Amino acid sequence: MILKLVAHRLLALVSIPLLLFLSFLALNFLFPLRDAIHYSTVVLDNKGEVIHAFLTPDDKWRMKVELSEISPLLRQTLIEKEDKYFFRHLGVNPIAMFRALFNNVKQQKRTSGASTITMQVARMLEPKQRTYFNKLREVFRALQLEWKYSKEEILQLYFNLVPYGSNIEGVKSVSVLYFNKSPQQLSLAEVTALSIIPNRPSSLKLGINNDMIVLERNKWLKRFEAVGLFDAKTIAESMDEPLSVERSEAPKRAAHLALKLKSTIPHTTIKTFLQLQMQSKVEKLVSDYTRNLSALGIENASVIITDNATGQVITYIGSADFFNDKNSGQVNGAAAVRQPGSTLKPFIYGLNFDLGFLTPKFCMTDVPITINGFQPENYDEQFHGYVTTDFALKNSLNIPAVKALNNIGVDALVTMLKKCNFRQVAKDEKKLGLSLALGGCGVSLEEMTALYSALARKGKFKPLVYCEQLKQTAIDSMNIITPQASYMLTDILSKYDRTDMPVAWSQSANTPKIAWKTGTSYGRRDAWSIGYNQKYTVGVWVGNFSGVGVPELNGAAIATPLLFNIFNTIDHNSAGRWFDMPESYSLRIVCAESGNMPGPYCEHQVMDAYIPLVSSTKVCERQKEIMVSADEKISYCKNCQPQSGFKKKIYDIVSPEMQFYFEQKRMAYQQVPAHNPSCDRVITDGGPAIRYPVHGSEYLISKTSPEPLQLTCDAGSNVRQVFWYVNNKMVKQCSPKEAPFIIPDEGKLKISCTDDHGRNTDIRITVKYVSL
């Protein structure tokens, strides 16, 4: 009988808690905890300081405190003041509740509370009027919180939600907006002051009632001393600490980057790699510089600086002044799509180096050309004849760059740019042609800065990394050109003897040791200058967001001085550090007049860089030994060489396009005598090059007053007569230097030019007669 009674009592003792627990689980399922919190998005610099903050959707400043930001001071003062038994109860302190209930009933009014920290969090999550029913709701929500979260996480919730008046919630928000520091940097006096304000938010307002706050703060400091929480010296120093704070504006630094990241990253705390001190210095440089340019009608500039070792963006400036509405300061120029001018040329030459087509001293021709209807011109509207590759790149000549792009094919450059995440280039892939060499595409400063930073990493491309959240998703680095080609480009781009060297810097002792390239878009709408050394890559764009061109706007005179100023500010003593010559990079002697391996008659030779087993080993043929008559009026080949009466002479072999150039410039050049007219050998190579009309073009001719079509060609020095044909019917016979005119029929036409050696060239055009 006794055992049965004991069993019943034990069952009752077990069943009641079990029933309560099961009831709690059921209620927890039916009435889930409403703990979805909208935090302010905050952007941090590389040291973890808040540099930009955004309001929550409900217009609150509620900046999330991370567990690592809850200092021992914050923890100790809160627990001592609000809930000494926080780590011992399950969200509710029954003893405190019964004591408060007894006192309130006895005094017939609310004399004391019994809310634990957990219960306060529950109330902040669901604010309600203070009634006994709502108190029971708080108890239930507190139990739910303890069931779901650890004690540390509940403390974190408290510090994130505690109100400080107006629209400020959370310790981090008040720390940033009133003390301009992060929570872990708060002193004991500041922490204590913040701990008392939530109890009396209407009468203790920071910035307004600072003296009253100090009095209340000091009372609590004395209590902390009395219970031995802190020693007497610490308390005394804290009591003497003044409180002279007032509310400041929320941080709004690096606004363009902050907005960019907020729109793409679903995190409330975004840690960037921005170095705030560098950001501030460069912002001032850009602001002062564009202020001086405004007299020219140039209003804006953008700058990106990246750490070459990591690819991390350490400075990001989208405009000269984000808050200048007049000049569209909120436009992010660093991300805007613009025309790049000549800034893609180094990569065209780099691909040529890697394919063995060119070396720095290879001789190219800068003369008028037409390729598939495209007729490029140089920036200075001049032609320079024979030029080396390094000269063409240093002086940003357009025609050699177009020829170099034609060597490798447009697809090769487009493929490289697509791999490097050039979004507009990828969209326009099928529309792009040889004008790509001159900036005929859309790029952004972000893309160009990342591209140039690859040259500082020996040809390894790495996307720009803006923040910690994107660091893990960044793709691995990839080679876009070889270390050898990259070193060649760096060597060329670091020379000062070039046309885009700013005059004011050409003789300056403070000129930074960097490699750089400039660019100016069509219509002088965009000025670019992008440079790098071992440590940093700096991209600079200057222009107007409206797209209005300015006659004075160009990369050399406008963008490069700012680039040099930036490098002198951020890395003044970099001259001692430079790039090491890579393996499989060698030097050799080449003919100075062709850039090829010296032939037997090459008298002028220079040193040239090359890539073993890749660069061409072709022997120079610019100088040839020709058999000529005694009076040097006729040349012979082996087929028609006479038994006697001839001599051998070394001639400089000049291509038809260079002959045309020399003649246009009225410059003398050595001509090979006409070939023996009695020779019966047919020479098949070196046919005439039709300059006009342009192959593949369509020509509109007025029906009422038709304009004749001119025929021009380039032919070898040994050609005396050319024969023009239209649809296989001869229309003109003349010397190669003449430019005859014809009135063509309407329709698709084949234009042929045959020289007196039987060599022929065909092109096709379309002629339409229209009413003009």
Side-chain angles (χ1 to χ4, degrees), residues 358-390:
L358 299 175
T359 58
K361 293 301 179 184
F362 183 83
C363 191
M364 308 180 74
T365 54
D366 179 31
V367 295
I369 59 166
T370 300
I371 304 176
N372 297 328
F374 181 50
Q375 295 177 294
E377 293 184 350
N378 285 321
Y379 181 79
D380 59 4
E381 299 182 349
Q382 301 295 318
F383 302 101
H384 304 82
Y386 289 121
V387 296
T388 58
T389 303
D390 60 353

Side-chain angles (χ1 to χ4, degrees), residues 242-535:
L243 182 65
S244 54
V245 297
E246 58 183 23
R247 181 168 177 173
S248 58
E249 290 291 326
K252 298 292 180 185
R253 304 297 304 276
H256 292 98
L257 180 61
L259 286 165
K260 171 186 174 72
L261 296 179
K262 181 178 184 290
S263 66
T264 56
I265 298 176
H267 291 268
T268 56
T269 301
I270 302 172
K271 188 168 190 248
T272 72
F273 304 105
L274 291 187
Q275 298 179 13
L276 190 56
Q277 186 177 11
M278 182 185 293
Q279 175 86 14
S280 300
K281 287 180 179 180
V282 178
E283 281 178 350
K284 187 173 189 313
L285 280 176
V286 172
S287 177
D288 293 344
Y289 190 74
T290 52
R291 191 179 301 115
N292 294 331
L293 291 178
S294 61
L296 299 175
I298 303 169
E299 304 291 352
N300 253 303
S302 303
V303 174
I304 292 178
I305 303 176
T306 180
D307 183 310
N308 292 330
T310 62
Q312 295 170 356
V313 174
I314 55 179
T315 294
Y316 190 103
I317 299 170
S319 70
D321 182 0
F322 180 84
F323 301 100
N324 188 331
D325 294 332
K326 178 183 177 183
N327 294 327
S328 305
Q330 294 185 16
V331 172
N332 185 356
V337 175
R338 317 289 297 194
Q339 287 189 336
S342 298
T343 52
L344 290 174
K345 288 176 182 175
F347 302 92
I348 295 172
Y349 288 113
L351 291 172
N352 272 270
F353 293 158
D354 279 334
L355 290 172
F357 295 152
L358 299 175
T359 58
K361 293 301 179 184
F362 183 83
C363 191
M364 308 180 74
T365 54
D366 179 31
V367 295
I369 59 166
T370 300
I371 304 176
N372 297 328
F374 181 50
Q375 295 177 294
E377 293 184 350
N378 285 321
Y379 181 79
D380 59 4
E381 299 182 349
Q382 301 295 318
F383 302 101
H384 304 82
Y386 289 121
V387 296
T388 58
T389 303
D390 60 353
F391 180 90
L393 178 54
K394 280 191 301 182
N395 294 281
S396 200
L397 301 181
N398 289 342
I399 293 169
V402 171
K403 288 183 174 180
L405 180 56
N406 194 49
N407 283 347
I408 60 174
V410 173
D411 287 346
L413 181 61
V414 170
T415 298
M416 185 190 78
L417 296 178
K418 285 171 60 182
K419 287 181 179 178
C420 297
N421 305 321
F422 277 62
R423 294 181 295 275
Q424 194 63 42
V425 168
K427 289 180 182 178
D428 298 337
E429 178 180 5
K430 295 182 179 178
K431 305 176 186 177
L432 301 175
L434 290 174
S435 63
L436 193 61
L438 314 183
C441 64
V443 304
S444 70
L445 183 62
E446 295 173 344
E447 294 166 343
M448 292 305 298
T449 306
L451 190 65
Y452 270 79
S453 69
L455 297 179
R457 288 190 292 270
K458 301 180 180 181
K460 286 187 177 181
F461 175 81
K462 185 181 292 185
L464 298 183
V465 184
Y466 297 100
C467 62
E468 285 284 359
Q469 285 84 354
L470 295 178
K471 186 176 180 181
Q472 303 301 323
T473 59
I475 64 173
D476 294 333
S477 60
M478 60 181 176
N479 287 317
I480 56 172
I481 57 175
T482 64
Q484 295 79 20
S486 180
Y487 188 82
M488 289 179 183
L489 292 173
T490 298
D491 186 55
I492 295 169
L493 296 175
S494 59
K495 297 292 191 294
Y496 293 155
D497 57 330
R498 48 201 275 192
T499 55
D500 62 355
M501 181 72 179
V503 176
W505 289 88
S506 58
Q507 302 298 325
S508 173
N510 295 321
T511 303
K513 177 63 175 176
I514 61 171
W516 84 98
K517 183 71 185 75
T518 62
T520 306
S521 69
Y522 178 77
R524 295 178 182 261
R525 295 181 175 90
D526 308 279
W528 301 79
S529 194
I530 309 172
Y532 60 93
N533 59 16
Q534 272 198 317
K535 196 170 184 181

Side-chain angles (χ1 to χ4, degrees), residues 59-72:
D59 290 330
K60 300 280 189 181
W61 290 115
R62 190 184 297 121
M63 304 179 195
K64 186 176 182 180
V65 182
E66 301 297 338
L67 285 171
S68 59
E69 295 179 288
I70 301 175
S71 66

